[in-house]
Amino acid sequence: MAKPLSLAFIGGGLNSAIGMTHKIASQMDGHFQLSAGCFSRDDALNRQTGMAWGLDESKIYQDALTLLEKEHAHLDAVVVLTPTPAHREILMACLEYPLPIICEKALVASVKDAEDIQQRVDEVNSQLYVTFNYTGYPMVRELRQRLQSGALGRIQHVMVEMPQEGFSRCRSDGSIALPQTWRRTDNAIPTVSLDLGVHVHQLVEFLTEKHALDVYAVNSTFARVPGVVDTVNIVSRYSDDVVCNYWYGKAALGYRNGLRIRVYGTEGSAEWLQMEPEYLRIADIHGNVSIIDRTASDNTVANQERYCRFKAGHPAGFIEAFANYYCDIAAALRGEANSYAIGSQVALKGLAFLESANKSALAQQKIIL
């Protein structure tokens, strides 16, 4: 095992939705160690987080810019975990040194910001990775390999769903837990697309290596948070005449996170659900249906040792998938060839797609990309 790479966190305090996941996932396989952090603008919470995660008080900073100034020479990468609207300023500050960056999705909130960030990354020849963590599931990677090998024939149709209930589900007293203030404002890209749409778009390109040519979208507000898009339906034609359907949102009662991928080809179909991540449902042209798990004898990806932290029958899940993705970023930072570490150019393409989808929804017409 190589020496762990040194990380600093900006954002991701104990009260955040994702901070603990990044902390665990980054260190699960020994590739990274947390060396410094500025976790929250709340001084008490910032200090509490750093102490809980084993940092010396001298490595807990109250200001992100001071952290970068004092620590940049000792760091291998910075992890940006603040709310999306704050990303641009922090990313630009990191690139001044320049430091490799691992950024929580969405990269930024607009195409213009993403273009500016990408230009700066290119200018300073830095590395910027975005945490499209769902690609870390072994069976998603197995599905990708099977599609690329032609196991389902020519891909014709892809359907991706990511329904959640967060904007609809009530507390016992009938009230709704309102999301953070920044999630109650939509701009050129609705916030629900920055939260969920970036994932579903990236998963289609990850699996199929096809690219969107046009897009038709419908935005809806179904839940009880007024003035905010909470549901998006999209139809898009991709290269090689592949048709893609997307449905994602936060107004689907009964779904905590219903991520589901279905792929249909000329020789068969495949289905994967995040709630049952160890399995692929495969159907062939003769009507035979089979369920395979990550230990299937004909797997070429999912049964690799790196994905089997424990023996079969003990399911791996979300944090392990996140850790798999962190392993790939570590490999990329060390200069090793790795096709799974996904950079800012992919994020920019996704934001452009989602901005076009929003324009289509507002105009109620198809947008040619």
Side-chain angles (χ1 to χ4, degrees):
M1 173 67 70
K3 179 183 177 182
L5 300 169
S6 180
L7 289 182
F9 279 13
I10 297 177
L14 291 175
N15 66 331
S16 79
I18 202 68
M20 180 63 80
T21 296
H22 278 269
K23 188 259 184 184
I24 295 171
S26 63
Q27 299 182 60
M28 182 176 288
D29 296 296
H31 293 293
F32 294 97
Q33 65 179 16
L34 182 62
S35 301
C38 175
F39 306 100
S40 174
R41 293 176 180 174
D42 182 297
D43 290 346
L45 181 60
N46 183 40
R47 184 177 180 278
Q48 180 185 3
T49 303
M51 298 297 286
W53 291 353
L55 290 182
D56 185 271
E57 280 198 74
S58 65
K59 299 297 184 179
I60 305 170
Y61 290 85
Q62 295 183 356
D63 176 78
L65 298 182
T66 303
L67 182 155
L68 294 172
E69 178 185 352
K70 299 290 187 182
E71 297 291 335
H72 70 272
H74 311 296
L75 296 173
D76 294 299
V78 175
V79 182
V80 176
L81 301 174
T82 61
T84 300
H87 283 183
R88 179 192 167 104
E89 179 181 358
I90 296 169
L91 292 172
M92 285 297 197
C94 293
L95 291 168
E96 282 301 306
Y97 286 95
L99 278 167
I101 305 165
I102 302 166
C103 185
E104 176 61 29
K105 61 80 197 165
L107 175 63
V108 282
S110 73
V111 172
K112 177 60 168 62
D113 283 350
E115 289 173 341
D116 291 346
I117 295 295
Q118 186 60 54
Q119 180 180 345
R120 188 60 179 155
V121 169
D122 294 339
E123 288 173 351
V124 301
N125 193 30
S126 188
Q127 297 167 276
L128 171 50
Y129 300 100
V130 182
T131 53
F132 293 113
N133 53 286
Y134 293 101
T135 65
Y137 280 104
M139 296 309 288
V140 171
R141 296 182 174 189
E142 179 66 32
L143 175 58
R144 180 191 194 215
Q145 176 61 32
R146 289 177 181 238
L147 294 177
Q148 292 177 358
S149 71
L152 300 186
R154 181 174 61 83
I155 301 169
Q156 297 173 311
H157 193 190
V158 182
M159 304 182 75
V160 183
E161 305 172 0
M162 200 172 187
Q164 299 179 2
E165 64 181 1
F167 282 17
S168 290
R169 185 170 176 173
C170 295
R171 300 186 182 98
S172 57
D173 64 1
S175 65
I176 290 181
L178 289 175
Q180 300 99 315
T181 301
W182 68 273
R183 282 197 163 99
R184 285 179 265 155
T185 302
D186 286 335
N187 293 298
I189 303 174
T191 301
V192 71
S193 291
L194 297 174
D195 278 350
L196 307 181
V198 292
H199 280 303
V200 296
H201 172 268
Q202 188 273 331
L203 280 166
V204 170
E205 290 212 353
F206 177 79
L207 290 168
T208 68
E209 298 187 321
K210 311 298 182 186
H211 307 289
L213 304 177
D214 60 30
V215 59
Y216 178 84
V218 177
N219 291 346
S220 303
T221 301
F222 291 142
R224 306 180 192 187
V225 181
V228 176
V229 174
D230 58 40
T231 303
V232 179
N233 285 272
I234 295 173
V235 178
S236 179
R237 189 173 300 278
Y238 275 55
S239 50
D240 295 334
D241 211 29
V242 175
V243 176
C244 295
N245 294 75
Y246 299 85
W247 166 47
Y248 58 88
K250 299 191 176 186
L253 287 169
Y255 289 92
R256 307 333 182 217
N257 183 351
L259 177 58
R260 180 187 190 190
I261 301 166
R262 287 177 285 176
V263 183
Y264 301 90
T266 56
E267 302 296 321
S269 69
E271 180 178 17
W272 178 83
L273 281 73
Q274 194 205 206
M275 294 298 287
E276 299 176 0
E278 297 280 270
Y279 302 100
L280 276 179
R281 181 184 185 273
I282 303 288
D284 67 22
I285 199 169
H286 304 290
N288 300 308
V289 177
S290 59
I291 306 296
I292 63 172
D293 68 8
R294 61 183 164 90
T295 68
S297 59
D298 61 342
N299 284 347
T300 58
V301 175
N303 57 4
Q304 293 175 16
E305 184 178 353
R306 63 171 294 199
Y307 301 128
C308 298
R309 295 182 180 88
F310 202 60
K311 58 188 177 182
H314 299 79
F318 181 84
I319 292 181
E320 286 91 344
F322 225 123
N324 293 335
Y325 190 73
Y326 260 105
C327 290
D328 299 314
I329 293 175
L333 290 174
R334 290 179 173 129
E336 302 170 18
N338 189 288
S339 64
Y340 292 132
I342 300 162
S344 49
Q345 290 183 333
V346 173
L348 170 57
K349 186 186 295 185
L351 291 171
F353 175 85
L354 295 168
E355 186 172 289
S356 295
N358 192 50
K359 289 177 181 177
S360 169
L362 294 175
Q364 289 300 297
Q365 63 183 11
K366 180 170 69 175
I367 299 295
I368 305 299
L369 299 180

